[in-house]
Amino acid sequence: MKYVYDLHKTMLDHHLILVYEGEFTQEITKSVLSMAERNMDAIGEDSSIKRKVFNVMVEALQNIVKHSENTENNGKGRQNAIFMLGKSDSEYLITSGNACKSADVSEIKVKLEKINSLDKDGLKQLYKETIKSGSLSDKGGAGLGFVDMARKSGKPLNFDFIEIDDSHSFFSLQTLISRV
């Protein structure tokens, strides 16, 4: 049972206030958002910061719901993923992780690196261009989520890919929202 204490200590050390791991559905997404909103309301968080955090959380959770891949290594071939919300004195940390196709990794990296290379005006222009092009992916996304997350945070998106098996990688994404 020491793992319970170890997990609790890890959450405290990393300032995690909400962690969900498992299958993600629209209903679970609503519950996670509701818990985060109650937490921010309880501490009296500024409404403009709450909006930014909430917006980035929605994008991260939608990314999981729409783009997670099934893998054999997660137990039952389900779309298991993880979502974490952390809070320090100076910022919120919104972190998500899910399996994706390894074949998609280079395309995702290129998109994220381009987004991270742009300033505020460049992100605004990319957002407008993406809306005008109107092209949807086979899973219904237009690619606006990452751009919107970067615009709301005003900081680069942190990301990583770890190989799971021959055809899947684990995609981790972290967005920071300043509280000051």
Side-chain angles (χ1 to χ4, degrees), residues 45-53 92 177-180:
E45 190 61 76
D46 182 78
S47 62
S48 66
I49 293 170
K50 279 195 319 192
R51 273 194 305 277
K52 287 179 184 180
V53 170
Y92 279 96
I177 308 282
S178 178
R179 294 185 67 210
V180 288

Side-chain angles (χ1 to χ4, degrees), residues 157-172:
L157 302 174
N158 300 317
F159 64 93
D160 194 18
F161 295 89
I162 298 170
E163 186 178 305
I164 296 172
D165 58 34
D166 290 343
S167 55
H168 297 95
S169 293
F170 192 80
F171 171 44
S172 301

Side-chain angles (χ1 to χ4, degrees), residues 21-175:
E21 190 281 330
E23 189 171 13
F24 279 77
T25 63
Q26 290 295 342
E27 284 305 311
I28 290 169
T29 296
K30 287 179 191 175
S31 296
V32 168
L33 290 168
S34 178
M35 285 186 283
E37 184 175 30
R38 278 194 298 273
N39 186 294
M40 287 186 284
D41 285 344
I43 63 166
E45 190 61 76
D46 182 78
S47 62
S48 66
I49 293 170
K50 279 195 319 192
R51 273 194 305 277
K52 287 179 184 180
V53 170
F54 199 79
N55 183 281
V56 171
M57 285 180 60
V58 167
E59 293 296 345
L61 290 164
Q62 284 181 344
N63 183 58
I64 291 171
V65 171
K66 289 182 181 178
H67 300 290
S68 284
E69 287 292 321
N70 293 333
T71 65
E72 296 304 316
N73 290 355
N74 66 12
K76 298 188 174 131
R78 294 184 300 162
Q79 296 177 338
N80 282 9
I82 189 164
F83 177 85
M84 298 178 282
L85 176 64
K87 177 181 72 71
S88 70
D89 290 339
S90 61
E91 63 193 358
Y92 279 96
L93 297 83
I94 299 143
T95 308
S96 62
N98 60 276
C100 66
K101 291 179 185 173
S102 293
D104 295 338
V105 168
S106 61
E107 181 182 343
I108 298 168
K109 275 185 182 178
V110 166
K111 282 182 184 178
L112 290 169
E113 288 168 352
K114 178 179 181 177
I115 289 167
N116 283 345
S117 73
L118 299 173
D119 62 7
K120 184 178 179 179
D121 292 334
L123 287 169
K124 185 176 181 179
Q125 184 63 32
L126 178 60
Y127 190 85
K128 287 179 182 180
E129 288 170 9
T130 305
I131 288 175
K132 283 181 187 175
S133 73
S135 58
L136 294 177
S137 72
D138 58 349
K139 294 193 177 182
L144 290 174
F146 293 147
V147 178
D148 203 32
M149 292 167 83
R151 289 181 71 200
K152 294 293 187 252
S153 73
K155 298 180 181 182
L157 302 174
N158 300 317
F159 64 93
D160 194 18
F161 295 89
I162 298 170
E163 186 178 305
I164 296 172
D165 58 34
D166 290 343
S167 55
H168 297 95
S169 293
F170 192 80
F171 171 44
S172 301
L173 179 67
Q174 185 178 68
T175 308

